[in-house]
Amino acid sequence: MIAMETIVDCAIDMEFREVDAMTQAAVRLRLHDGTELMAQGIAHRHPDDPGQQRVGEEVAAARALNNLAHQLLDKAGVDIEEVTHLEAHLTH
């Protein structure tokens, strides 16, 4: 039996915005079928912590990507249900 391989591309864009002690990450995922999903994540720096822009970006990015992952699981569940007509049980 010969294995079939399929390769598809998607694009992820992320941008950061910093205002005082808050860092916000906005992420956009464009799937190969044209579907776009967007999510945000926010990090707040404690006033006693030193200002490290990179750390705020990492936390905000992780939260945005986590939100995006939940959206993808929800979308996959809907897609499964459309085909099977049964309730999909995907965990986050």
Side-chain angles (χ1 to χ4, degrees):
M1 183 173 177
I2 298 174
M4 300 277 304
E5 181 178 331
T6 302
I7 299 173
V8 295
D9 288 329
C10 66
I12 296 177
D13 295 314
M14 186 177 297
E15 64 181 37
F16 298 98
R17 184 173 56 178
E18 303 213 22
V19 178
D20 298 324
M22 182 211 52
T23 302
Q24 180 183 32
V27 64
R28 176 181 308 193
L29 170 66
R30 284 185 296 283
L31 299 172
H32 68 280
D33 68 357
T35 301
E36 284 194 12
L37 299 174
M38 295 187 301
Q40 294 184 354
I42 295 176
H44 295 278
R45 181 173 40 87
H46 189 277
D48 295 338
D49 291 342
Q52 291 183 296
Q53 180 178 352
R54 178 182 49 83
V55 173
E57 290 173 354
E58 290 169 349
V59 172
R63 290 177 175 159
L65 291 169
N66 187 50
N67 290 337
L68 184 63
H70 286 279
Q71 287 183 42
L72 281 169
L73 283 172
D74 290 343
K75 181 185 178 325
V78 169
D79 292 346
I80 291 168
E81 290 172 357
E82 287 177 355
V83 172
T84 65
H85 305 290
L86 299 171
E87 186 176 351
H89 298 281
L90 300 176
T91 58
H92 292 210

